[in-house]
């Protein structure tokens, strides 16, 4: 629902921001505390680390590490005796971009699902891998397209697929010899086909190692897939969800299989997202019940017109206000993309904007999501990994909305 989508959006955004920080040395702290664990177990560890930090040769690194540890200890006092039910990940360190200056910042993230790890690290980057692994909301699927000549094996994970193996059969396509020779050649051909099917089954073994694996979908032209299924030359633990007729057995066949498998994996993100964008594009073409653009959508939300909000993942839109230190010009502007004040300049005197001249900065993506959530609007996150998602981002700047009425 809208609140869940918004929380996931914020979770992804926090992870993306953390990934961009770099320490001048090994001075960025990452502390993972598992679900409902005793906080006191970690305060002792941090005090020990504070003492160990006095041995760091670089005076600035030593001060930054000890300053970060003090900030984390202060946060743990506020946190209470136990970590939240899903655990908490704490990141702290000097994030200043200016040499010689210190800016100790602390970020705490309570993940949307329970963490399975607890540890302390002090390195040159924040350790975000455990959080990245939690981003996978849906399961993974095995995709196999085949006929009597060739087969393509792929993995569908999230919204994208990856081909892991392509095979060819060495079986004779036709036997024209008569008598015993014909029967002998037919047996040889059947044996070769069986070996080919077993090779396909072996190529499906990597599916067993996938996390949250849902099952396999088999497709292809002709009866070969049915023969393959009767032989069942794959691991018995692999669940086959269904079969689909396709015209191809290469990457095009995988895409065709994906398109025709909507009923089998109805809730799978890639198919759901494609349908969503296609519906949006159809409404655009007929000037139907959709709108796009930040101001247009914001106005529609205010009038209770919006039924569903579409937001591209990793979308950055900021409103900034600054006062030029040279000419005194006060200016507000909207900046799309990653915010880099060093590239911004005063429109009157062309002087570069300095960080201390920034009077105000607002995250407009968060604002519009808050406004939508307050009105009970469903929020759908659109990836940029798919063709449709990339087109949505490029054409509509990552924001669109379905309307109840105009």
């Amino acid at each position: 629902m809208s609140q869940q989508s918004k929380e996931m959006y914020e979770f992804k955004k926090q992870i993306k921001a953390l990934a961009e920080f770099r320490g001048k040395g090994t001075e960025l702290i990452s502390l993972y505390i598992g679900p409902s664990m005793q906080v006191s177990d970690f305060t002792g560890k941090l005090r020990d680390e504070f003492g160990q930090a006095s041995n760091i040769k670089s005076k600035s690194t030593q001060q930054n590490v000890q300053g970060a540890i003090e900030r984390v200890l202060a946060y743990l006092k506020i946190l209470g005796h136990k970590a939240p039910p899903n655990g908490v990940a704490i990141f702290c360190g000097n994030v200043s971009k200016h040499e010689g200056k210190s800016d100790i910042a602390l970020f705490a993230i309570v993940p949307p699902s329970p963490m399975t790890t607890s540890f302390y690290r002090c390195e040159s980057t924040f350790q975000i891998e455990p959080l990245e692994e939690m981003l996978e909301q849906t399961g993974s699927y095995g995709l196999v397209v085949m006929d009597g000549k060739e087969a393509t094996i792929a993995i569908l994970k999230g919204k994208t697929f990856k081909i892991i193996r392509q095979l060819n059969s060495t079986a004779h396509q036709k036997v024209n010899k008569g008598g015993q020779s014909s029967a002998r050649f037919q047996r040889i051909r059947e044996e070769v086909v069986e070996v080919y099917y077993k090779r396909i089954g072996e190529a499906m073994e990597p599916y067993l190692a996938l996390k949250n694996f849902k099952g396999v979908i088999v497709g292809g032209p002709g009866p070969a897939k049915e023969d393959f299924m009767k032989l069942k030359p794959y691991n018995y633990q692999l669940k086959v969800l269904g079969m689909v007729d396709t015209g191809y057995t290469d990457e095009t066949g995988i895409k065709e299989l994906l398109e025709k498998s909507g009923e089998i994996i109805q809730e799978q993100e890639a198919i759901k997202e494609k349908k969503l964008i296609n519906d949006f594009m159809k409404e655009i073409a007929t000037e139907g019940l959709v709108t796009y653009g930040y101001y247009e959508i914001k106005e529609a939300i205010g009038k209770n017109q919006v039924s569903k909000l579409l937001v591209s993942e990793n979308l950055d839109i900021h409103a900034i206000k600054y006062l030029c230190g040279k000419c005194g010009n006060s200016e507000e502007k909207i900046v799309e993309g990653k915010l880099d004040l060093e590239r911004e300049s005063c429109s009157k005197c062309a002087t570069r904007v300095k960080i201390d001249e920034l009077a105000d900065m607002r995250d407009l993506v968060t604002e519009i999501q808050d406004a939508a959530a307050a009105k009970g609007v469903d929020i759908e996150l659109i990836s940029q990994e798919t063709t449709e998602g990339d087109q949505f981002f490029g054409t509509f700047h990552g924001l669109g909305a379905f309307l109840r009425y105009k």
Side-chain angles (χ1 to χ4, degrees), residues 3 28 47 54 62 96 138 147 150 166 213 229-230 235 249 282 309 314 319 339 369:
Q3 184 61 27
L28 297 184
R47 291 192 183 101
S54 61
Q62 176 189 328
S96 174
T138 59
D147 61 9
E150 66 176 5
Q166 288 183 295
F213 182 69
M229 292 299 300
K230 288 175 184 176
N235 192 297
T249 56
K282 287 177 184 176
L309 176 66
N314 303 322
L339 186 62
Q369 285 201 113

Side-chain angles (χ1 to χ4, degrees), residues 27-44:
E27 56 185 40
L28 297 184
I29 290 174
S30 303
L31 177 64
Y32 284 71
I33 304 178
S36 303
M37 292 189 70
Q38 294 292 331
V39 172
S40 58
D41 293 341
F42 296 88
T43 54

Side-chain angles (χ1 to χ4, degrees), residues 266-295:
Q266 196 169 10
E267 294 302 316
Q268 211 287 325
E269 281 187 273
I271 293 174
K272 181 181 177 183
E273 179 175 285
K274 183 170 183 176
K275 184 179 184 305
L276 201 60
I277 298 301
N278 285 343
D279 290 347
F280 183 81
M281 298 299 289
K282 287 177 184 176
E283 292 293 322
I284 287 287
T286 58
E287 298 184 359
L289 293 175
V290 291
T291 189
Y292 59 94
Y294 173 77
Y295 291 110

Side-chain angles (χ1 to χ4, degrees), residues 318-378:
H318 292 86
I320 63 172
K321 181 179 181 180
Y322 60 86
L323 181 67
C324 179
K326 184 175 181 180
C327 71
N329 174 46
S330 178
E331 188 168 352
E332 290 186 12
K333 65 188 300 186
I334 289 180
V335 180
E336 293 188 16
K338 185 179 178 182
L339 186 62
D340 184 359
L341 287 177
E342 294 179 358
R343 296 189 306 184
E344 300 297 324
S345 58
C346 176
S347 62
K348 285 193 174 181
C349 67
T351 302
R352 293 286 184 184
V353 176
K354 296 179 181 178
I355 292 178
D356 55 9
E357 294 172 351
L358 186 66
D360 186 33
M361 180 176 70
R362 292 166 22 236
D363 185 336
L364 298 186
V365 179
T366 298
E367 283 189 10
I368 204 166
Q369 285 201 113
D370 287 342
K375 297 285 188 177
V377 175
D378 285 340

